[in-house]
Each structure stands twice: as C-alpha cells, then as structure tokens.
Amino acid sequence: MAQPIKLYVHVFGPNPWKVAIILEELGVRYDTISMDYADLKKEPFESLNPNCRVPAIEDPNTGIVLFESGAIVEYLVEIWLHFQMSGQGPYFGQSIHFQRFHPNNHEPIQLPTAIERYKNEGKRVVGVIDKHLKKHGTGYVVGDKLTYADLAFVPWNVLLSDVMGEDFDPKVEAPDFAAWHDNMAERPSVKRAYKKKQTLVDDFMKSEKSI
C-alpha cells in the first residue's frame, strides 16, 4: 500500500483545499500538516517551497516535492499519463516497428539487437506498471477510481502480443497489469471506441482488396 502524501496547508487558505478535494476524489491517502503563517518563511518549510506559501506536498512514494496548487493537481493525475507518453508509447511502438516495419512494411529487415532492446524495454514498462498496481492495491494507477491516466494505456496495451511476442504471457509474468488491462478493455467506452475502429479497419481492408 502506498504511503500517504504529506499536504501542507493553512487552515484558512483556500488553495490547499483545492488539492485536498482532488486527493479525496481520487481516493489518495494523505496527511494534512497545518502551518502557521510565521513558519512558512522558515526552515524546514522554506526548503520545500522557496515561495513560502501553501499548498506544498511531499510524496514519499516518489520523493517528489511540489508547490503551487495547479502543479500539484497536475502531478497527482498526470504522472502516469506522462509515463504512458514517454515510456509505454515509444517503447511499444519501436518494438513493433523493428519487428515489422523496418525499413518499410514491404521488405522488413530484422535487426535482432534492436528487437531485443525494445522487447526488453516493453517488458520493463509492463513490470513498472505491474509493480505499482500491486503495491497501490486499488486496481487503478491513480487513487481508487478510474482516471484518463488508466485509459490512455489501453491502445498500446491492446497490441501487447505484437510488442512482446506470443511467448510473453502477461497473466503469468504481470498478473496485476493483466487484470488492470482486462478491466479497462471491458469498459463500455472502450468497447464503443473499438467497435468504431473495427468498422474503419474493415472498410479499409475492403478498399485495399478492390485496388
């Protein structure tokens, strides 16, 4: 289970409670640390926030310290979204590229070292998510409710067998990851989106055959 985030507040200041509301909505555990105005311009708080204002947070799970309510709210929701964009998407995409489309999809040339590298990176990404889900214990990457951070992983996770190959079984090697993805894939919104996608794929394949 993740350790609670430390949220520094002042009892009458409105901005810290913006963060508290988001934490409550997400179901993220946190401890409130009420500060006197006089202590905001002293150590140790000044090292947390050189601007000497609340809110500020310390996340013991990541070592991240942040101030400014907008930055904190963005961090709480988007840290996993950024991981999807900088980790999962690029590594999964490169794995598929070097297996199927390098230098083009008509005459692909196998580069074993590149394929191995990106398969390993894909496996590492899956492992990071699996470990986090296991430790977090809620079935979601942020808090105890679905956020768009969870859903952003779906389109590449759907292609996992293409990324890793058929010999990689996520239910065995990353069971929490596999359960999380299966839960996302069963959501009505995901099914509706992929139904539309399949219609477009079918239309495209028909047009290709007619050429």
Side-chain angles (χ1 to χ4, degrees), residues 9 66 74-75 85 90 106-107 119 133 142 148 185 196 209:
V9 307
L66 283 175
E74 182 178 351
Y75 164 76
M85 293 186 291
H106 300 295
E107 297 178 351
K119 277 188 174 182
L133 290 166
V142 180
Y148 59 81
K196 292 179 180 179
K209 289 180 181 179

Side-chain angles (χ1 to χ4, degrees), residues 101-158:
F101 303 114
H102 178 79
N104 59 66
N105 62 329
H106 300 295
E107 297 178 351
I109 298 173
Q110 296 288 293
L111 297 178
T113 54
I115 292 171
E116 182 180 8
R117 165 175 164 71
Y118 288 109
K119 277 188 174 182
N120 286 338
E121 286 297 331
K123 188 174 183 179
R124 182 186 65 80
V125 167
V126 169
V128 168
I129 299 170
D130 184 68
K131 183 178 179 180
H132 170 73
L133 290 166
K134 189 185 303 294
K135 183 177 180 180
H136 195 51
T138 67
Y140 302 100
V141 294
V142 180
D144 63 355
K145 297 178 182 178
L146 176 81
T147 69
Y148 59 81
D150 296 287
L151 295 171
F153 284 89
V154 171
W156 281 110
N157 284 344
V158 168

